[in-house]
Amino acid sequence: MAKENSPPPLVSYVKNGKVVKITGEITADGYRFNSQSKKTINLATLQWPPYIGEHLCNKGWVFQYAVALLAQKGYQINIHFYPWARAVRLVELGAMDILFPEYFIEANAPSDNIKGKSRRDLLELSKPYPGGEISFLKRKKEQDNFQGKLKNLIGEKIGVVRGYQNTPEFDAMMDAGLFDIVETVDDLQLMKMLAAKRVNLIIGDPLVLRHTVEHSSLSRQDKESILQETANVLPSLQYNHLYFAVSKKAENWQQLLVDLNQGIAAFEQSGETQRIVSNASHCFQSKLFLPGPKN
């Protein structure tokens, strides 16, 4: 579906006991809210269903959450969707102000965009907000050597999405060249690569990986084949919270970080975070998972 044929995005949040609704506008390269405000910020994100995506019901709860947080602080919000590696590059170089949703970034994680710099030299993380599990996936009928210990996978051929943070231990071992890493541009390509036996394992959020296949343009037969032939590797690696990563090249980035952190804390305390997440769940059930033909 072409973006120009989509209805304007609508975001709602509760402030002082009252529901506030704000209608965004579709721009040439994204979505804008609070266009009358002069406090303009640009956010880079990705298609990462079921958390966020242009074709999700209400763009996903992370989209709703980000807009609500920043709108109640009076910002003009411009959200742009890119492939993840490009989103990371734009924010690390200062062309965009905020990268989201991001996993925790270790202090020594190297930047792929500025030689000699760590990612934390370029970005500052907000307080955490809800996220999801990180696990390996394998082909269902095949054995794995993991058994809860990454050292058991040294030399293993593993698929990753280029630019993704996963877990500190895995990322450090990957950066040290201890795995045979194959990179993809997105989660769908990752699942297809596992099904095609190009790698032995892939790493990511199983909820995201499966949702991406279910709502892709693949045929029903291909979807069922991929989903039925893949399984989680137990135990999962860890639960990853999500973060906003603020570019240190953004104007007034320190105040932007303060505003984000205040909003995250206030939403958590008031129950607004859980309300937004729950609303997204109801939205999916009512609009995405109705019986009927799939793509």
Side-chain angles (χ1 to χ4, degrees), residues 267-278:
F267 273 24
E268 184 64 30
Q269 185 175 11
S270 69
E272 182 64 5
T273 299
Q274 189 54 49
R275 189 195 70 82
I276 291 173
V277 174
S278 296

Side-chain angles (χ1 to χ4, degrees), residues 27 29 31-32 39-45 70 75-80 82 90-91 94-100 245-247 250 256:
T27 63
D29 53 1
Y31 303 88
R32 178 178 296 129
K39 292 168 59 178
T40 302
I41 52 171
N42 290 285
L43 298 91
T45 189
L70 292 163
Y75 286 96
Q76 180 190 130
I77 305 138
N78 295 275
I79 295 181
H80 312 264
Y82 299 108
L90 288 169
V91 180
M96 292 272 159
D97 304 310
I98 297 174
L99 175 71
F100 82 107
V246 179
S247 173
L256 178 54

Side-chain angles (χ1 to χ4, degrees), residues 103-114:
Y103 287 147
F104 183 78
I105 304 171
E106 290 293 312
N108 59 351
S111 169
D112 291 333
N113 299 302
I114 300 181

Side-chain angles (χ1 to χ4, degrees), residues 52-249:
I52 187 168
E54 288 185 276
H55 303 301
L56 292 179
C57 179
N58 291 336
K59 314 297 181 201
W61 79 260
V62 169
F63 184 100
Q64 296 276 314
Y65 181 76
V67 173
L69 274 180
L70 292 163
Q72 51 96 29
K73 290 292 186 179
Y75 286 96
Q76 180 190 130
I77 305 138
N78 295 275
I79 295 181
H80 312 264
F81 285 84
Y82 299 108
W84 183 245
R86 185 181 176 196
V88 171
R89 178 176 175 81
L90 288 169
V91 180
E92 288 191 358
L93 296 180
M96 292 272 159
D97 304 310
I98 297 174
L99 175 71
F100 82 107
E102 176 62 281
Y103 287 147
F104 183 78
I105 304 171
E106 290 293 312
N108 59 351
S111 169
D112 291 333
N113 299 302
I114 300 181
K115 188 175 181 179
K117 293 286 187 180
S118 73
R119 297 196 66 207
R120 293 296 290 272
D121 289 334
L122 308 170
L123 306 171
E124 193 63 57
L125 296 179
S126 70
K127 290 180 180 294
Y129 54 97
E133 297 287 342
I134 295 295
S135 300
F136 290 113
L137 270 71
K138 66 176 183 177
R139 288 178 292 277
K140 189 172 288 184
K141 296 179 181 179
E142 297 184 6
Q143 296 296 317
D144 69 89
N145 298 319
F146 178 47
Q147 298 180 336
K149 297 179 181 179
L150 285 173
K151 67 179 182 180
N152 292 343
L153 299 179
I154 290 175
E156 195 83 42
K157 183 168 283 190
I158 301 173
V160 304
V161 176
R162 184 163 64 93
Y164 275 19
Q165 300 289 132
N166 289 293
T167 74
E169 185 182 5
F170 177 86
D171 292 344
M173 292 178 70
M174 179 178 70
D175 291 339
L178 298 180
F179 308 122
D180 183 2
I181 294 295
V182 180
E183 294 184 330
T184 69
V185 297
D186 57 30
D187 295 282
L188 179 60
Q189 189 181 1
L190 201 62
M191 288 289 276
K192 290 165 70 175
M193 188 165 63
L194 178 64
K197 299 185 177 182
R198 290 182 53 203
V199 293
N200 299 326
L201 299 170
I202 61 174
I203 187 172
D205 182 327
L207 184 65
V208 172
L209 291 165
R210 291 198 167 88
H211 193 285
T212 299
V213 173
E214 289 170 356
H215 297 273
S216 71
S217 60
L218 295 173
S219 69
R220 179 190 291 270
Q221 183 178 2
D222 287 343
K223 290 179 185 180
E224 290 178 351
S225 175
I226 292 173
L227 294 172
Q228 290 173 6
E229 293 303 317
T230 55
N232 290 16
V233 174
L234 298 177
S236 63
L237 289 170
Q238 69 179 37
Y239 179 90
N240 272 2
H241 284 90
L242 300 177
Y243 299 80
F244 296 99
V246 179
S247 173
K248 292 183 180 179
K249 294 186 177 183

